[in-house]
mmCIF file of all heavy atoms in Angstrom:
data_model
loop_
_atom_site.group_PDB
_atom_site.id
_atom_site.type_symbol
_atom_site.label_atom_id
_atom_site.label_comp_id
_atom_site.label_asym_id
_atom_site.label_seq_id
_atom_site.Cartn_x
_atom_site.Cartn_y
_atom_site.Cartn_z
ATOM 1 N N THR K 158 -17.965 -22.489 -41.646
ATOM 2 C CA THR K 158 -16.834 -22.706 -40.729
ATOM 3 C C THR K 158 -17.147 -23.754 -39.666
ATOM 4 O O THR K 158 -16.240 -24.331 -39.072
ATOM 5 C CB THR K 158 -16.458 -21.394 -40.006
ATOM 6 O OG1 THR K 158 -17.539 -21.004 -39.146
ATOM 7 C CG2 THR K 158 -16.123 -20.293 -41.004
ATOM 8 N N GLY K 159 -18.458 -23.958 -39.387
ATOM 9 C CA GLY K 159 -18.817 -24.881 -38.311
ATOM 10 C C GLY K 159 -18.748 -24.253 -36.943
ATOM 11 O O GLY K 159 -18.716 -24.960 -35.937
ATOM 12 N N GLN K 160 -18.751 -22.908 -36.875
ATOM 13 C CA GLN K 160 -18.607 -22.230 -35.587
ATOM 14 C C GLN K 160 -19.654 -22.697 -34.589
ATOM 15 O O GLN K 160 -19.340 -22.959 -33.439
ATOM 16 C CB GLN K 160 -18.705 -20.718 -35.768
ATOM 17 C CG GLN K 160 -18.677 -19.963 -34.443
ATOM 18 C CD GLN K 160 -18.562 -18.471 -34.619
ATOM 19 O OE1 GLN K 160 -18.078 -17.987 -35.625
ATOM 20 N NE2 GLN K 160 -18.993 -17.711 -33.627
ATOM 21 N N HIS K 161 -20.894 -22.768 -35.009
ATOM 22 C CA HIS K 161 -21.964 -23.222 -34.132
ATOM 23 C C HIS K 161 -22.443 -24.580 -34.631
ATOM 24 O O HIS K 161 -23.095 -24.669 -35.671
ATOM 25 C CB HIS K 161 -23.138 -22.238 -34.121
ATOM 26 C CG HIS K 161 -22.811 -20.929 -33.507
ATOM 27 N ND1 HIS K 161 -23.622 -19.832 -33.599
ATOM 28 C CD2 HIS K 161 -21.730 -20.532 -32.793
ATOM 29 C CE1 HIS K 161 -23.068 -18.814 -32.958
ATOM 30 N NE2 HIS K 161 -21.923 -19.215 -32.473
ATOM 31 N N TYR K 162 -22.107 -25.627 -33.896
ATOM 32 C CA TYR K 162 -22.632 -26.927 -34.254
ATOM 33 C C TYR K 162 -24.129 -26.943 -33.988
ATOM 34 O O TYR K 162 -24.589 -26.535 -32.929
ATOM 35 C CB TYR K 162 -21.965 -28.053 -33.438
ATOM 36 C CG TYR K 162 -22.637 -29.390 -33.658
ATOM 37 C CD1 TYR K 162 -22.441 -30.084 -34.845
ATOM 38 C CD2 TYR K 162 -23.494 -29.931 -32.711
ATOM 39 C CE1 TYR K 162 -23.061 -31.292 -35.073
ATOM 40 C CE2 TYR K 162 -24.128 -31.141 -32.917
ATOM 41 C CZ TYR K 162 -23.908 -31.818 -34.109
ATOM 42 O OH TYR K 162 -24.538 -33.007 -34.340
ATOM 43 N N ASP K 163 -24.893 -27.403 -34.943
ATOM 44 C CA ASP K 163 -26.342 -27.407 -34.820
ATOM 45 C C ASP K 163 -26.876 -28.719 -35.359
ATOM 46 O O ASP K 163 -26.848 -28.961 -36.571
ATOM 47 C CB ASP K 163 -26.936 -26.230 -35.600
ATOM 48 C CG ASP K 163 -28.401 -25.991 -35.282
ATOM 49 O OD1 ASP K 163 -29.086 -26.955 -34.906
ATOM 50 O OD2 ASP K 163 -28.856 -24.836 -35.425
ATOM 51 N N ALA K 164 -27.350 -29.567 -34.472
ATOM 52 C CA ALA K 164 -27.871 -30.876 -34.880
ATOM 53 C C ALA K 164 -29.084 -30.745 -35.778
ATOM 54 O O ALA K 164 -29.434 -31.683 -36.500
ATOM 55 C CB ALA K 164 -28.211 -31.710 -33.644
ATOM 56 N N ASN K 165 -29.773 -29.571 -35.726
ATOM 57 C CA ASN K 165 -30.941 -29.373 -36.572
ATOM 58 C C ASN K 165 -30.572 -29.110 -38.033
ATOM 59 O O ASN K 165 -31.445 -29.087 -38.905
ATOM 60 C CB ASN K 165 -31.773 -28.188 -36.058
ATOM 61 C CG ASN K 165 -32.477 -28.513 -34.752
ATOM 62 O OD1 ASN K 165 -32.907 -29.633 -34.541
ATOM 63 N ND2 ASN K 165 -32.577 -27.532 -33.876
ATOM 64 N N MET K 166 -29.282 -28.881 -38.315
ATOM 65 C CA MET K 166 -28.871 -28.606 -39.678
ATOM 66 C C MET K 166 -28.644 -29.913 -40.434
ATOM 67 O O MET K 166 -27.559 -30.233 -40.891
ATOM 68 C CB MET K 166 -27.630 -27.711 -39.704
ATOM 69 C CG MET K 166 -27.941 -26.285 -39.305
ATOM 70 S SD MET K 166 -26.511 -25.199 -39.288
ATOM 71 C CE MET K 166 -26.025 -25.270 -40.999
ATOM 72 N N SER K 167 -29.724 -30.683 -40.570
ATOM 73 C CA SER K 167 -29.716 -31.936 -41.297
ATOM 74 C C SER K 167 -30.169 -31.692 -42.721
ATOM 75 O O SER K 167 -30.387 -30.533 -43.137
ATOM 76 C CB SER K 167 -30.662 -32.922 -40.616
ATOM 77 O OG SER K 167 -31.971 -32.364 -40.581
ATOM 78 N N ASP K 168 -30.343 -32.755 -43.485
ATOM 79 C CA ASP K 168 -30.793 -32.604 -44.868
ATOM 80 C C ASP K 168 -32.126 -31.866 -44.937
ATOM 81 O O ASP K 168 -32.343 -31.022 -45.805
ATOM 82 C CB ASP K 168 -30.928 -33.972 -45.530
ATOM 83 C CG ASP K 168 -29.579 -34.593 -45.845
ATOM 84 O OD1 ASP K 168 -28.570 -33.863 -45.798
ATOM 85 O OD2 ASP K 168 -29.537 -35.803 -46.131
ATOM 86 N N ILE K 169 -33.039 -32.175 -43.975
ATOM 87 C CA ILE K 169 -34.354 -31.555 -44.016
ATOM 88 C C ILE K 169 -34.269 -30.060 -43.757
ATOM 89 O O ILE K 169 -35.088 -29.286 -44.258
ATOM 90 C CB ILE K 169 -35.303 -32.257 -43.019
ATOM 91 C CG1 ILE K 169 -36.748 -31.868 -43.340
ATOM 92 C CG2 ILE K 169 -34.954 -31.900 -41.571
ATOM 93 C CD1 ILE K 169 -37.764 -32.710 -42.609
ATOM 94 N N PHE K 170 -33.261 -29.626 -42.991
ATOM 95 C CA PHE K 170 -33.055 -28.188 -42.749
ATOM 96 C C PHE K 170 -32.849 -27.468 -44.070
ATOM 97 O O PHE K 170 -33.482 -26.449 -44.352
ATOM 98 C CB PHE K 170 -31.855 -27.995 -41.823
ATOM 99 C CG PHE K 170 -31.373 -26.563 -41.702
ATOM 100 C CD1 PHE K 170 -32.006 -25.672 -40.851
ATOM 101 C CD2 PHE K 170 -30.293 -26.123 -42.452
ATOM 102 C CE1 PHE K 170 -31.566 -24.363 -40.741
ATOM 103 C CE2 PHE K 170 -29.846 -24.816 -42.338
ATOM 104 C CZ PHE K 170 -30.489 -23.939 -41.471
ATOM 105 N N PHE K 171 -31.967 -27.994 -44.914
ATOM 106 C CA PHE K 171 -31.673 -27.350 -46.190
ATOM 107 C C PHE K 171 -32.842 -27.460 -47.167
ATOM 108 O O PHE K 171 -33.137 -26.519 -47.894
ATOM 109 C CB PHE K 171 -30.411 -27.962 -46.790
ATOM 110 C CG PHE K 171 -29.164 -27.663 -45.996
ATOM 111 C CD1 PHE K 171 -28.659 -28.574 -45.103
ATOM 112 C CD2 PHE K 171 -28.510 -26.459 -46.135
ATOM 113 C CE1 PHE K 171 -27.522 -28.308 -44.352
ATOM 114 C CE2 PHE K 171 -27.376 -26.162 -45.394
ATOM 115 C CZ PHE K 171 -26.880 -27.094 -44.508
ATOM 116 N N GLU K 172 -33.526 -28.610 -47.148
ATOM 117 C CA GLU K 172 -34.627 -28.816 -48.076
ATOM 118 C C GLU K 172 -35.821 -27.932 -47.747
ATOM 119 O O GLU K 172 -36.388 -27.269 -48.611
ATOM 120 C CB GLU K 172 -35.036 -30.293 -48.063
ATOM 121 C CG GLU K 172 -33.981 -31.221 -48.658
ATOM 122 C CD GLU K 172 -34.241 -32.678 -48.316
ATOM 123 O OE1 GLU K 172 -35.308 -32.968 -47.721
ATOM 124 O OE2 GLU K 172 -33.382 -33.525 -48.643
#
Side-chain angles (χ1 to χ4, degrees):
T158 66
Q160 175 171 336
H161 293 169
Y162 172 74
D163 192 333
N165 289 325
M166 288 179 62
S167 58
D168 287 346
I169 196 168
F170 169 81
F171 293 98
E172 292 165 7

